[in-house]
Amino acid sequence: MIISTILLAIIAVWSVDTGVYDFGGQSAFEVLGKVIKGDPDLSLSDRYVVWDVRAARIIMAVLIGSMLAVSGTSLQGLFKNPLATGDLIGLTSGATLLAAIAIVLGGHFKEYLPEAIQFSLVGISAFIGSLLSMMLVYRISTSGGKTNVVMMLLTGVAITAIGFSITGFLIYISKDEQLRDLTFWNLGSLAAATWTKNIILAIVLVVAYIILLPKGKALNAMMLGEKDAQHLGINVEKLKKQIIIIVALMVGSCVAFSGTIGFVGLIVPYILRLLFKSNYVFILPLSAVCGSILLLTADTFSRSIVAPSELPIGILTALMGGPIFIAILVKFKKSL
């Protein structure tokens, strides 16, 4: 845990100093130091780039990467399957779909909503979409207290297909500004990071982790089966509801602010299980840090590979996650 935290700090330092902007002979760290000290002589452009662009983006990458990894780890522990991640079972698609509906059609009814809801309509819509998708997947794939993993994945495929088709229709009828926003959601990016969004994400993260991180022992018990977990004193139904709602909240929040960033919840738990088997007491807190490391590294590369342009981060995570997804399938095939 300490080593991974130190590694995250090193990557964050590297990320702050990565970019094409010229600070006039100064390093990004010197400028950041002046921002923190409140130097009145610091130019507004230097302050904006290092604080409102780079620092805000780094914090968003840390928060979103952490939540995506923990959500994937929690679902895999709950359903006892390494393929149970938010993007593979349709949570991300559901969140993206309702966020797209809010973007394109929200203008027709937004004025009738309370002002607080108007401000966060896309975020609320993404959470509702994620929660509805999770409930639908769970209801269809679970029978007699047992979850059929094949049914769960097929339901996720169906939800993704429906979401893709409706989002495609929304793209067809959208205006230019709405089209840019929809493209952002579909490809995934941290370019719209702000400190206000980071505060909201941080609040979601703290609330979610207070509930989820102590569940390591309960998820270890779930690996024995639901009946054995109940005999060990685990309230299985309560555990399921808590994880489903919290994961939906985290995935919905991440999609609302960064769009579709897939495979983080697949890559991190897979690697950690190779090191710690399926001991969720270690995997859950480690996935929180390692998810941040993965997404921050990917984001730093995404804005430096084709500089001064930016490669959508969802493309990089998909390139990394695809081979791991195939590796998991091959491992499953050998165990049959």
Side-chain angles (χ1 to χ4, degrees):
M1 189 73 177
I2 296 175
I3 295 174
S4 57
T5 305
I6 293 173
L7 179 59
L8 176 60
I10 293 172
I11 295 171
V13 169
W14 165 55
S15 185
V16 168
D17 203 35
T18 300
V20 297
Y21 183 82
D22 184 8
F23 290 101
Q26 302 178 91
S27 70
F29 307 113
E30 291 176 299
V31 176
L32 183 59
K34 291 180 179 179
V35 171
I36 295 172
K37 292 177 183 177
D39 190 341
D41 297 326
L42 183 65
S43 71
L44 292 176
S45 58
D46 287 355
R47 185 190 186 283
Y48 175 76
V49 170
V50 79
W51 184 252
D52 294 314
V53 176
R54 293 190 188 177
R57 185 166 179 154
I58 288 168
I59 298 301
M60 181 172 277
V62 169
L63 294 171
I64 289 180
S66 181
M67 286 195 285
L68 289 177
V70 170
S71 64
T73 304
S74 301
L75 288 177
Q76 290 169 25
L78 182 65
F79 293 117
K80 303 184 289 295
N81 190 280
L83 297 177
T85 62
D87 41 309
L88 292 179
I89 65 174
L91 267 67
T92 303
S93 297
T96 302
L97 172 59
L98 261 72
I101 291 174
I103 291 170
V104 178
L105 304 178
H108 297 290
F109 57 83
K110 190 180 271 189
E111 60 185 44
Y112 301 107
L113 300 174
E115 190 172 337
I117 296 179
Q118 289 183 28
F119 176 74
S120 53
L121 179 61
V122 176
I124 293 172
S125 300
F127 165 64
I128 293 173
S130 179
L131 181 61
L132 291 176
S133 298
M134 184 73 257
M135 292 172 63
L136 181 62
V137 168
Y138 179 71
R139 286 291 178 88
I140 292 177
S141 61
T142 303
S143 177
K146 293 184 179 180
T147 302
N148 186 313
V149 176
V150 174
M151 286 295 294
M152 181 173 62
L153 293 175
L154 290 176
T155 305
V157 171
I159 292 173
T160 301
I162 294 170
F164 178 78
S165 62
I166 298 176
T167 303
F169 173 72
L170 292 172
I171 290 174
Y172 180 75
I173 65 172
S174 63
K175 300 176 183 177
D176 289 343
E177 184 179 349
Q178 295 169 344
L179 182 60
R180 285 194 294 270
D181 289 339
L182 289 173
T183 302
F184 161 78
W185 296 118
N186 288 327
L187 294 178
S189 174
L190 302 177
T194 65
W195 288 107
T196 301
K197 292 178 181 178
N198 285 341
I199 291 171
I200 296 172
L201 287 170
I203 293 172
V204 173
L205 181 144
V206 170
V207 172
Y209 285 7
I210 288 174
I211 297 173
L212 281 186
L213 293 187
K215 304 294 184 187
K217 290 184 179 179
L219 290 176
N220 284 346
M222 288 291 288
M223 297 298 292
L224 302 173
E226 292 187 12
K227 289 185 179 180
D228 289 331
Q230 285 177 332
H231 290 314
L232 292 173
I234 305 298
N235 189 332
V236 174
E237 289 305 313
K238 182 180 178 181
L239 179 67
K240 286 180 180 179
K241 290 177 182 177
Q242 286 180 335
I243 291 179
I244 286 172
I245 293 173
I246 293 300
V247 166
L249 176 62
M250 291 195 294
V251 172
S253 301
C254 292
V255 171
F257 293 138
S258 66
T260 305
I261 299 177
F263 290 103
V264 176
L266 180 76
I267 298 170
V268 174
Y270 175 76
I271 294 173
L272 291 178
R273 267 194 302 272
L274 293 177
L275 299 174
F276 300 101
K277 302 301 179 184
S278 292
N279 189 344
Y280 287 92
V281 174
F282 294 107
I283 290 178
L284 268 178
L286 271 176
S287 64
V289 181
C290 293
S292 298
I293 291 173
L294 174 65
L295 195 61
L296 182 56
T297 303
D299 183 58
T300 306
F301 275 114
S302 75
R303 56 189 178 87
S304 58
I305 291 176
V306 291
S309 299
E310 177 185 328
L311 186 69
I313 193 171
I315 295 175
L316 284 181
T317 56
L319 284 173
M320 290 186 289
I324 290 181
F325 183 58
I326 293 172
I328 294 174
L329 293 177
V330 170
K331 186 177 180 180
F332 267 12
K333 181 180 178 181
K334 290 181 180 179
S335 63
L336 293 176

